[in-house]
Each structure stands twice: as C-alpha cells, then as structure tokens.
C-alpha cells in the first residue's frame, strides 16, 4: 500500500526539519514555473457529476489524503489514514485514482488556506467526494466554501470511517464535538493507540496535548484547537513503546505548545520526558517539539538535564516572533525579549552545542522601523542556524486583522533585509573534520542522499546505501553548506535490539497477518452471515 499522507506544508509555529531549505531556495533555478496554470486548466474542464455510491459496500474505495500545516496535523492525518486502511479502504498518492479526497487544513497563514480552498474546488469540479478536516473548518465552520461538505473536527478524527462512508453515499456529516475526561475536563483528543499509517515508517509523531494557553492577536489556531488538553503520560509512553516494537527509531513530540504539557492534569513536561527516556531503546532518538518562551522558563534546569541524555536531541524550537517588547506586547505573546534571551542563554550555556531554532514575523501591524531593527539585532546576536521568516498575514476573526497594516512594500523590504542577513552566514562550517554519530531516517529532496541528524539535530547527508536507513552511523564531516553537512561513514552501521520497520503504507497497531489481510467490517459481517446460512442449511 503506498503512503497515504503527503505534501506537508510547514506551519509557522512548527518545525519539520531544522535544516530544510525553503521553497523559494529549492525552486530558485526554475525560471518558467507558472503556479496558476494548473488551476486555470482545471477550470476550463467540463464539471464532472459526482458518483453516489449508495449500493456499493463501504471499505472498497480508494482515498487520497493531503495535509497542510504542522506536525500535529501530520499526526492526525496518519491516524485517519490508519483507521481507513484498517477498514479496507485503499490509500493512494495519486489524487486522480481516488473516489474521495480527505483534506486536512492549516489556519495559521492565508496561503495555506488558499491552497486548501483551491483543492476543494478542484475536487468538486471533477466530481470527487471531499471530506475536510483540520483547523480551518474547526475554526470557521460557516465559511461559504465549506457549505455542503462533510467535516471531521480536530477531536473527532477517530470517527473518520463513518464520515467517509456517509459521504460516499451522498450525505453530509459534520462532527465538531469536544472530548472530555472522566472529570469533565477537555481531553487531548482521540486515543493515541488508534491504528495509523506513518508518512515515514521510521518516525513516530506523538501529540502530547492539544490547544494552548496563549491568545496571540495574530493567531487563529486557538479558535480551532481550543484550550489546553493534555494526554495522560501513561498513554503517551505506551504509544512510544508500541512504535518501537514496529521498528520506529525516532520520536517527535508535538503540540501547539509542548511547554504547557500537563498543567491541566497535574503533571509537567519534564516529568513526561523522564518517563519517556526510560523506554527509548539504544540507537533511537527523541525530538522535543515547539515550545513558547513563557512555559519553558520554569522548566529550564530540568530541560537542560534532559538534553544531556544520549537519546534526546539537543534541540529546541522556541519562536520569538519579534525582538521588540512593544510588538510582543501587541501580539500578546506574554513574554519579553529578555525572557527569550534567558531561555537561549541558559540552554546554550548548560548544553554546549545546543541548537535553538526560532521564527520571526515581519511587518506585524504595529511594527515600526525601530521595532524591526530590534529584531535584526536579536538575530545578529544569536545567528540562529534555523530561522523561519514569515510576512504577517491577517487571519479573519483575529484582533490583528482589524489593525492598520504596514505598507506591503515596507514589509517586503524588511523581510528581504532579514533574509539576506540569514543567508550571509554558514552555521556548520566549524563542523568540518569532526567525527559524529548520526541517525539516518529519510531521503534528501533530490533523492541523491540519505538524510541523517547528529545529536544537535543538525542535518547530515550520507551516501544512499540501503543498509544505512534506520541505523546509527559514525561519520566524518567532509564539507558544509548553509543548510546541511556531508558525512562520510567510517564504521559499520549499528542499531541493536530493534525489529524491522513497517513497510511504507502499512498500518500500525495491527499484526503482520492482520495488516496484510485486513477486511472492511461490512465485508467481514457479510461473509459471517453467508457462513451461518450455509451451516443452517446443512443442519436442515
């Protein structure tokens, strides 16, 4: 079965890979790309009538899954794909082979929502059934372009099978309910122990909580994900254990703000991390997800200790968004520049070599030229190896959308100035000649190398040798670029004590026999009914 979850677009507040090159840099050499040509071509086509499958047994159709946004969205898509595959649906990466598209959206930036809207229109114009998920429909369920579409809410992903079945019959189903704990508090969401189809069989993405405590004036994520809801630590640990039995070698913890974990259920992020490192096998690694400055400040000492653990990446993604206290106040970020610097200074002092990645928003409505220069000074002080630069986009329904905007040309000028500074330095040149231990988990964008990461989650490209995938390698760094290093293996690969990983597209949580022969529930019931009827006639 081919992989089901594809085409991830990075979220402003979540990091997929700290050294991933930007789309602008990746396609800079392509001079003749017209990004709207495909859309125009699709509009010229005659609309195709949608096929209603009332008489067709559910679980026999082909489904295409597309995801925008953060690692949390990615995880949700993996769970939904796993549930559908476990019920017999075939998953495809070719959208034109599918009878139904499951589109999982991101509401952080306007371009991501625009792409989502265009994909809906394209599917509808070709007569394809569409189910929408994610933060856009959850945060704005009455949007006109969502009229008549089936929707699965962010906490209702465990009901995706029934929504798909009803949609294929021509019905519209909308589920937005919020899950509660036995004590009546908001729960993290659907069970972490559901079946899933991992985008990368070697990487397990575990959402540890959903929602956040902030109310940033530019962000719409809270409209969709709501208040904080943490998963019980034992459920997270059990999901990690299960993933290791299926050959996973790297775990990503994700949420809207990992630093807030446990505040609603009487525990904390460090307590969870110490429990997790106990079950991480030798040769495997854990990557901590994005955390905002206010909620990591109180845990700095413990986090620094955890970062010294040999199975935890010395890496943290801490979005600062601006170097100006005035702008941070207008954003309602609930910290100062000094707070952010305390986080960076403490961790880099206590954990030598520690990687800190951050995000900047250029052109927030109240940002003056002086405010922007404060941001420039902050970036020049730390020379972040991973710096995600984003222009401000007003999100409907947020306070910032009502503020008077900085002129577009000025926003572009500031973005260019910061981008040019970021490109002016190479953060890894001092690594050349070093010997490092790296974990290989992926294939490079150009398909010519395998991608690995060292203990600081810095990207190291190694030769594309099949036996390296999923293994620890000892390499010598031979060269460095802006975004990665080249590593030459100097020893045999190692990864003791792990099982063979699942095949790409294989369903997690099922036995090998089940995953190969799983039948949709309706077909199973039909076969059982036929068998019982045969037995009845034989008895007569």
């Amino acid at each position: 079965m081919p992989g089901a979850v594809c085409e991830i677009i990075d979220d402003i507040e979540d990091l997929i890979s700290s050294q991933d090159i930007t789309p602008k840099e990746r396609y800079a050499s392509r001079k003749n790309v017209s990004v709207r040509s495909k859309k125009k071509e699709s509009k010229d086509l005659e609309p195709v009538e949608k096929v209603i499958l009332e008489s067709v047994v559910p679980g026999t159709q082909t489904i295409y899954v597309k995801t925008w946004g953060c690692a949390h969205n990615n995880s949700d898509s993996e769970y939904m794909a796993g549930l559908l595959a476990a019920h017999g649906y075939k998953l495809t990466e070719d959208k034109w082979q599918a009878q139904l598209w499951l589109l999982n959206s991101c509401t952080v930036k306007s371009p991501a929502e625009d792409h989502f809207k265009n994909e809906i229109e394209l599917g509808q114009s070709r007569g394809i059934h569409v189910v929408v998920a994610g933060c856009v429909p959850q945060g704005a369920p009455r949007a006109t372009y969502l009229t008549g579409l089936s929707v699965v809410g962010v906490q209702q992903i465990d009901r995706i099978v029934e929504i798909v079945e009803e949609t294929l019959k021509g019905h519209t189903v909308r589920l937005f309910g919020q899950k509660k704990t036995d004590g009546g508090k908001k729960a993290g969401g659907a069970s972490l122990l559901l079946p899933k189809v991992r985008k990368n069989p070697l990487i397990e993405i575990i959402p540890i909580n959903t929602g956040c405590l902030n109310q940033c004036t530019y962000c719409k994520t809270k409209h969709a994900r709501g208040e904080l809801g943490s998963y019980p630590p034992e459920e997270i640990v059990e999901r990690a254990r299960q993933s290791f039995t299926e050959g996973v070698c790297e775990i990503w913890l994700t949420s809207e703000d990992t630093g807030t974990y446990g505040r609603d259920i009487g525990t904390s992020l460090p307590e969870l991390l110490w429990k997790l490192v106990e079950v991480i096998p030798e040769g495997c690694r854990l990557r901590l997800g994005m955390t905002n400055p206010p909620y990591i400040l109180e845990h700095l000492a413990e986090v620094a200790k955890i970062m010294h653990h040999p199975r935890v990446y010395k890496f943290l993604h801490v979005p600062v968004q601006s170097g100006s206290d005035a702008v941070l106040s207008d954003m309602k970020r609930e910290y100062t520049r000094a707070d952010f610097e305390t986080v960076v200074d403490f961790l880099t002092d206590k954990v030598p070599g520690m990687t800190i990645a951050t995000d900047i928003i250029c052109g927030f409505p109240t940002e003056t030229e002086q405010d922007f220069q404060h941001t420039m000074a902050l970036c020049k002080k730390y020379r972040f190896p991973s710096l995600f630069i984003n222009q401000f986009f007003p999100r409907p329904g947020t306070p910032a959308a009502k503020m008077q905007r900085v002129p577009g040309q000025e926003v572009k000028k500031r973005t260019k100035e910061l981008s040019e500074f970021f490109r002016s330095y190479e953060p890894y040149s001092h690594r050349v000649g070093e010997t490092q231990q790296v974990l290989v988990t992926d294939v490079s964008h150009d398909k010519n190398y395998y991608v690995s990461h060292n203990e600081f989650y810095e990207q190291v490209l190694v030769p594309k040798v099949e036996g390296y995938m999923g293994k620890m390698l000892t390499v010598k760094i031979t060269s460095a670029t802006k975004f990665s290093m080249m590593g030459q293996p100097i020893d045999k690969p190692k990864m003791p004590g792990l099982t063979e990983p699942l095949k790409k597209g294989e369903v997690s949580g099922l036995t090998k026999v089940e995953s190969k022969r799983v039948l949709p529930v309706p077909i199973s019931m039909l076969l059982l009914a036929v068998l019982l009827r045969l037995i009845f006639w034989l008895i007569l």
Side-chain angles (χ1 to χ4, degrees):
M1 186 188 304
V5 189
C6 56
E7 301 181 56
I8 306 300
I9 298 176
D10 293 348
D11 189 327
I12 190 175
E13 293 252 21
D14 192 272
L15 191 62
I16 296 300
S17 174
S18 63
Q19 278 75 32
D20 271 358
I21 59 177
T22 65
K24 181 177 180 181
E25 290 157 336
R26 188 175 302 151
Y27 301 116
S29 61
R30 302 185 188 180
K31 305 297 184 185
N32 300 314
V33 177
S34 175
V35 296
R36 296 190 180 274
S37 59
K38 188 172 182 180
K39 180 182 172 186
K40 183 179 179 181
E41 179 184 350
S42 67
K43 285 192 172 183
D44 292 340
L45 296 172
E46 288 290 327
V48 178
E49 185 176 352
K50 188 183 297 181
V51 177
I52 305 301
L53 303 171
E54 291 185 58
S55 60
V56 177
V57 177
T60 59
Q61 293 79 38
T62 301
I63 296 176
Y64 167 72
V65 183
K66 183 170 182 176
T67 309
W68 292 263
C70 63
H72 199 161
N73 262 20
N74 194 357
S75 176
D76 286 351
S77 289
E78 290 182 345
Y79 277 118
M80 290 188 286
L83 285 164
L84 291 166
H87 281 75
Y89 289 98
K90 181 182 177 183
L91 305 171
T92 181
E93 292 181 347
D94 183 352
K95 65 175 72 174
W96 304 116
Q97 289 183 355
Q99 287 84 48
L100 182 141
W101 291 358
L102 172 57
L103 306 178
N104 194 1
S105 63
C106 172
T107 191
V108 169
K109 293 189 287 187
S110 293
E113 185 171 344
D114 291 342
H115 294 154
F116 172 63
K117 181 179 178 181
N118 292 340
E119 198 76 352
I120 290 173
E121 293 174 352
L122 178 60
Q124 290 177 320
S125 72
R126 303 313 300 149
I128 294 168
H129 296 271
V130 176
V131 173
V132 294
C135 293
V136 170
Q138 183 77 42
R142 295 183 179 83
T144 55
Y145 67 90
L146 298 177
T147 302
L149 292 177
S150 291
V151 179
V152 55
V154 294
Q155 286 206 309
Q156 298 292 322
I157 61 173
D158 53 341
R159 299 182 67 182
I160 186 60
V161 173
E162 59 186 284
I163 291 176
V164 164
E165 289 180 358
E166 291 303 314
T167 302
L168 287 167
K169 294 175 184 176
H171 304 149
T172 299
V173 183
R174 293 184 155 223
L175 297 178
F176 291 106
Q178 191 174 98
K179 294 187 182 298
K180 302 283 188 180
T181 65
D182 293 339
K185 293 184 178 180
K186 179 188 174 185
S191 170
L192 296 181
L193 301 180
L194 293 172
K196 66 157 56 176
V197 173
R198 297 185 184 95
K199 180 173 182 282
N200 184 333
L202 296 173
I203 297 176
E204 170 72 14
I205 304 173
I206 305 180
I208 61 174
N209 54 273
T210 188
C212 60
L213 297 175
N214 273 30
Q215 190 72 57
C216 301
T217 56
Y218 61 83
C219 183
K220 203 171 181 181
T221 302
K222 190 165 185 175
H223 294 202
R225 295 281 183 179
E227 294 291 338
L228 179 66
S230 300
Y231 282 97
E234 56 273 12
E235 189 172 346
I236 297 168
V237 172
E238 184 56 35
R239 182 75 220 189
R241 278 201 186 99
Q242 178 187 319
S243 69
F244 292 127
T245 66
E246 296 173 338
V248 163
C249 61
E250 188 170 287
I251 285 183
W252 296 358
L253 301 185
T254 185
S255 76
E256 284 63 60
D257 189 344
T258 56
T260 62
Y261 173 78
R263 295 168 75 98
D264 56 327
I265 58 174
T267 184
S268 69
L269 179 64
E271 289 181 40
L272 171 65
L273 294 176
W274 286 123
K275 291 177 181 178
L276 278 170
V277 295
E278 292 179 3
V279 303
I280 301 175
E282 183 180 351
C284 298
R285 294 287 183 271
L286 180 147
R287 194 196 82 177
L288 186 57
M290 186 274 289
T291 179
N292 284 310
Y295 308 110
I296 203 67
L297 273 167
E298 63 190 86
H299 301 311
L300 282 180
E302 280 298 296
V303 168
K305 291 178 185 177
I306 290 165
M307 291 291 167
H308 279 284
H309 195 284
R311 295 167 198 171
V312 177
Y313 284 119
K314 297 173 176 60
F315 165 86
L316 198 61
H317 180 207
V318 190
V320 64
Q321 307 299 14
S322 175
S324 162
D325 284 346
V327 173
L328 291 173
S329 176
D330 292 337
M331 289 178 170
K332 290 193 175 178
R333 291 289 288 170
E334 300 184 3
Y335 59 87
T336 64
R337 171 176 171 163
D339 291 334
F340 175 78
E341 290 184 334
T342 296
V343 172
V344 178
D345 292 343
F346 185 93
L347 291 177
T348 52
D349 177 59
K350 300 297 183 183
V351 189
M354 172 92 182
T355 297
I356 300 290
T358 196
D359 300 349
I360 297 292
I361 296 176
C362 289
F364 186 80
T366 63
E367 182 186 73
T368 64
E369 177 60 26
Q370 184 179 16
D371 292 326
F372 174 69
Q373 290 307 320
H374 289 319
T375 297
M376 285 293 300
L378 180 71
C379 293
K380 288 178 179 178
K381 177 180 179 179
Y382 290 107
R383 298 169 71 92
F384 299 102
S386 294
L387 180 62
F388 287 78
I389 304 166
N390 303 275
Q391 294 184 29
F392 169 77
F393 286 100
R395 305 301 296 124
T398 62
K402 300 175 183 178
M403 299 177 183
Q404 184 173 350
R405 296 182 64 179
V406 176
Q409 286 301 113
E410 181 62 26
V411 176
K412 290 180 181 178
K413 181 182 77 69
R414 295 174 188 175
T415 304
K416 181 180 179 183
E417 183 178 345
L418 183 55
S419 298
E420 287 178 348
F421 166 70
F422 177 59
R423 289 195 293 268
S424 71
Y425 59 90
E426 289 192 1
Y428 309 119
S429 55
H430 67 289
R431 298 285 193 197
V432 175
E434 289 185 359
T435 298
Q436 300 181 349
Q437 291 282 325
V438 299
L439 177 58
V440 184
T441 57
D442 213 335
V443 181
S444 62
H445 293 296
D446 61 11
K447 311 299 181 186
N448 293 330
Y449 301 95
Y450 280 159
V451 176
S452 67
H453 292 89
N454 61 19
E455 62 179 314
F456 308 109
Y457 203 70
E458 296 166 339
Q459 184 171 276
V460 180
L461 302 180
V462 299
K464 196 175 179 182
V465 177
E466 187 173 352
Y468 293 167
M469 186 58 74
K471 305 293 195 302
M472 291 291 297
L473 285 177
T474 302
V475 301
K476 183 174 182 179
I477 303 302
T478 58
S479 63
T481 66
K482 174 66 180 174
F483 300 100
S484 64
M485 293 165 273
M486 293 296 300
Q488 182 60 43
I490 58 176
D491 199 357
K492 293 181 180 179
K494 307 185 280 279
M495 179 155 300
L498 287 188
T499 60
E500 183 181 349
L502 300 179
K503 304 297 183 198
K504 187 172 176 63
E506 195 171 352
V507 183
S508 164
L510 302 179
T511 65
K512 295 288 184 181
V513 174
E514 287 174 329
S515 64
K516 289 178 181 178
R517 300 181 181 179
V518 67
L519 286 173
V521 173
I523 293 180
S524 302
M525 296 299 294
L526 182 62
L527 292 174
L528 179 61
V530 171
L531 181 60
L532 290 174
R533 182 175 290 272
L534 286 173
I535 294 172
F536 175 76
W537 282 108
L538 287 172
I539 293 174
L540 289 180

